[in-house]
Amino acid sequence: MTDSDAHFLQIMLSNPRTGWSMGTFGAIAEFIRDEAEAVEIGPQGDSVATARGAIRIDRTAGLKLFAYELPAKDPAGWNHAVALCVPQDRALMNGRQVVTELGVDRQAIRAEDQDAVLFDIGLGTATVDVCVRSADPSVQARLRAEQGRSIFGAESTLMRDMPALSPARVFITRAGRAEVMQAVPDTHERSPEGPHTHVLPQLLKQGRTHSANDPVPEGFVPCAHLYPPHPLKDLTGGGTPFDARAHEAFQDILRAYGDPSLVALKTEIEELVWSGAGPEYLGSVKGRHARATLRCTLRQLRYESPADCEILRRWTAQFEAPTV
């Protein structure tokens, strides 16, 4: 990771409008914070902590930042992110299959948590150690009673008991760690606003490190993601009026960290539309990621062009499936 990459990450960490996630396909910790929330920034600018959660990004050798956009289910929307990727041969974690006590968590982001005891819950995930942490002797005793067992075993009730225990959740990857101190919701409850985690066994069974839709560079694995301010929604997913400044800010990030071929395709589409050329002037667009770029670009152009733009309607009719 270069100094400019580290500086970019420090800027993103200091921005309360940036969201973060750490983990893998089916097991993920999410970190967001409110603008008015009390926050502690690490001395090197590489971590952020609140009473509800924390995240730290490590300056890992070979760490690569990769920005991308994807069409959203909403036919007028899109998602964007920057993946923090590590070479496959460096991304592997411990892959523990059973509950394992790891000792006192001296690497905890907040000093007040560094005397609590850390347990790997044994999900067996290749690129993230999914752990829990507690300073409560009764919670520690319950976790120690599960040592050597798989939480997926018929005799284990640990996952069912997690809401009552509500230890801190700690997700550790080669890109850093995320910690969630909020209570674990019960099965019938929604995840709380702010930092929270998801463990989805059905997705874990697929053994994937990320969605096939994510255009991650070959030979790399995404261990974390950051989500810069979005022009159409806030960190909770709620809709907002189009923010041209946020849109252009991410386009700068895309030009710096995106796939050059997809950035070039996006520029070509924009230039053709603005010149009044029809979709027939665009060459063949091959591959899932190129088609996603085409759709995102057209959706974004709707917010930057007049409502009665006939040429954009022709492009949209050509490349976006009609909605029912």
Side-chain angles (χ1 to χ4, degrees):
M1 183 167 62
T2 67
D3 288 342
S4 62
D5 294 343
H7 181 62
F8 169 73
L9 291 172
Q10 289 171 348
I11 292 173
M12 292 292 103
L13 283 165
S14 68
N15 187 346
R17 294 183 60 205
T18 298
W20 299 81
S21 65
M22 185 83 64
T24 191
F25 196 63
I28 194 167
E30 299 185 34
F31 175 81
I32 61 175
R33 61 187 175 98
D34 297 336
E35 293 195 39
E37 192 170 8
V39 62
E40 179 182 344
I41 306 293
Q44 305 300 319
D46 58 356
S47 67
V48 176
T50 69
R52 299 186 296 164
I55 189 161
R56 182 176 67 224
I57 303 301
D58 294 336
R59 195 160 179 165
T60 304
L63 184 68
K64 179 181 177 65
L65 306 182
F66 190 76
Y68 61 89
E69 298 173 321
L70 293 172
K73 291 182 179 179
D74 175 357
W78 64 94
N79 300 315
H80 69 213
V82 179
L84 281 64
C85 300
V86 175
Q88 287 178 342
D89 60 348
R90 300 178 186 174
L92 292 179
M93 295 298 290
N94 293 284
R96 299 181 183 95
Q97 303 282 339
V98 295
V99 177
T100 307
E101 182 174 350
L102 302 178
V104 175
D105 189 13
R106 298 300 187 200
Q107 297 302 312
I109 297 171
R110 305 187 309 176
E112 64 202 79
D113 298 319
Q114 292 175 3
D115 290 327
V117 179
L118 191 69
F119 294 81
D120 190 320
I121 63 172
L123 290 188
T125 42
T127 58
V128 56
D129 290 346
V130 178
C131 304
V132 297
R133 183 182 64 213
S134 181
D136 184 331
S138 65
V139 175
Q140 294 172 7
R142 177 68 183 87
L143 292 165
R144 287 180 177 128
E146 292 286 334
Q147 279 209 94
R149 291 182 178 179
S150 167
I151 62 169
F152 299 120
E155 73 283 0
S156 177
T157 62
L158 183 57
M159 289 299 282
R160 189 174 65 204
D161 295 342
M162 278 296 184
L165 298 171
S166 274
R169 280 81 74 213
V170 182
F171 283 50
I172 307 170
T173 75
R174 297 302 180 196
R177 64 159 55 194
E179 305 179 1
V180 174
M181 278 68 86
Q182 297 204 98
V184 178
D186 213 334
T187 52
H188 63 277
E189 297 177 327
R190 295 182 60 184
S191 296
E193 292 187 5
H196 60 275
T197 58
H198 297 284
V199 174
L200 305 172
Q202 292 303 316
L203 295 184
L204 289 175
K205 287 178 182 179
Q206 297 182 29
R208 302 186 61 90
T209 58
H210 59 284
S211 168
N213 292 323
D214 298 350
V216 173
E218 186 175 353
F220 284 81
V221 173
C223 295
H225 290 80
L226 68 92
Y227 309 94
H230 195 281
L232 287 177
K233 56 188 177 181
D234 60 26
L235 284 174
T236 65
T240 62
F242 179 69
D243 184 341
R245 293 175 65 180
H247 176 60
E248 189 50 46
F250 189 79
Q251 298 315 297
D252 289 341
I253 294 171
L254 198 62
R255 286 186 282 269
Y257 293 114
D259 182 327
S261 66
L262 298 180
V263 173
L265 173 61
K266 184 169 193 175
T267 300
E268 180 185 5
I269 296 165
E270 291 171 339
E271 290 177 347
L272 285 170
V273 172
W274 290 129
S275 72
E280 64 273 13
Y281 287 90
L282 181 67
S284 178
V285 177
K286 296 181 179 179
R288 174 186 309 191
H289 304 319
R291 291 191 295 270
T293 295
L294 170 57
R295 293 171 62 200
C296 285
T297 305
L298 295 179
R299 294 180 184 193
Q300 292 163 4
L301 285 171
R302 295 179 201 171
Y303 292 91
E304 301 177 276
S305 36
D308 60 349
C309 183
E310 175 60 29
I311 194 65
L312 185 55
R313 280 200 292 269
R314 286 180 55 199
W315 279 79
T316 300
Q318 176 79 17
F319 295 112
E320 284 272 23
T323 57
V324 178

